[in-house]
Amino acid sequence: MSLVELIAQADERGLAASGLACLDRCVPLLGGDDEILRPLWASLAESEGWDAGWGEDWGERVEQARAKLDVSGVPEGGVFGEGEAVVLAHRMLGAVPVDRAAGNLREWADACSVAALQIHRLLDAASDGASSVTARREGRTQDMSPLVAAELRRQIAILEVLSAHGPAGLRQALALSTEGRRVLRAVVSRRARGRV
């Protein structure tokens, strides 16, 4: 199944986790530490609130994360001089829905998927053959650059594990996201060293 199809079929928790995972992998561009979004992951794991429709403290934890990462102050040149990639990461954080409407979550998860792939494309030293990330999300993966290919695989794997295992898949989804965040942090660090 393509990434687009997986997002279309995901439930509310799956959509929230998918969007959060994309955002979590891009935390190095936001200047945050690795634990900054952990309270949001914890909210997803609280099955009682989600089974009733929504984790009550989700919205509060979203606002706390935004305050810590200063979503209002999107830097023009980027924290690490990455410009467009930093702006895309800030937009993902700024757009996190605080209410439970599945439409809002689906729109956000979809936008996060596109933004995360675009960020990896912007930061990849190798060229990606497609003119946009749309083809990648629809399953056309020929001539993909390594960083974009790895991000696409992670997005698909996270949605698949959540679809198959529900809340029990959150730990594996977080592990996949953590791995991706380490990769992106290394890329950002390498690029920063190259400019010194």
Side-chain angles (χ1 to χ4, degrees):
M1 220 182 295
S2 74
L3 180 55
V4 171
E5 291 169 323
L6 287 167
I7 291 173
Q9 293 183 11
D11 63 11
E12 289 178 4
R13 192 193 313 254
L15 292 167
S18 173
L20 181 59
C22 288
L23 179 61
D24 199 2
R25 287 190 295 281
C26 295
V27 158
L29 292 167
L30 296 169
D33 64 52
D34 288 349
E35 299 298 313
I36 199 87
L37 298 179
R38 190 59 68 116
L40 287 169
W41 282 104
S43 182
L44 289 178
E46 292 162 3
S47 60
E48 185 179 319
W50 282 84
D51 290 345
W54 190 254
E56 286 184 16
D57 55 356
W58 170 266
E60 184 180 325
R61 293 178 186 185
V62 167
E63 295 304 334
Q64 289 171 354
R66 285 179 179 153
K68 288 176 183 173
L69 293 169
D70 190 23
V71 72
S72 61
V74 179
E76 289 180 24
V79 175
F80 300 100
E82 303 303 342
E84 189 179 348
V86 174
V87 170
L88 287 170
H90 274 277
R91 282 185 189 153
M92 273 196 277
L93 178 61
V96 180
V98 293
D99 63 36
R100 72 170 297 271
N104 292 343
L105 282 170
R106 198 169 310 282
E107 184 179 332
W108 178 64
D110 197 57
C112 284
S113 167
V114 171
L117 285 166
Q118 186 62 25
I119 285 168
H120 284 76
R121 188 175 185 194
L122 288 165
L123 299 179
D124 202 336
S127 175
D128 189 64
S131 58
S132 75
V133 297
T134 303
R136 302 316 188 193
R137 297 176 73 243
E138 292 173 349
R140 296 191 295 277
T141 58
Q142 188 176 357
D143 299 325
M144 287 181 76
S145 61
L147 204 58
V148 175
E151 172 61 13
L152 181 66
R153 281 194 303 273
R154 278 188 201 94
Q155 289 191 26
I156 289 171
I158 285 170
L159 283 161
E160 286 177 342
V161 76
L162 291 169
S163 174
H165 304 290
L170 283 169
R171 186 178 300 275
Q172 191 176 347
L174 177 58
L176 285 163
S177 189
T178 300
E179 175 197 6
R181 186 175 61 241
R182 287 185 186 129
V183 169
L184 194 65
R185 193 175 292 285
V187 169
V188 169
S189 178
R190 190 164 53 245
R191 287 171 65 97
R193 284 196 307 271
R195 286 192 299 274
V196 173

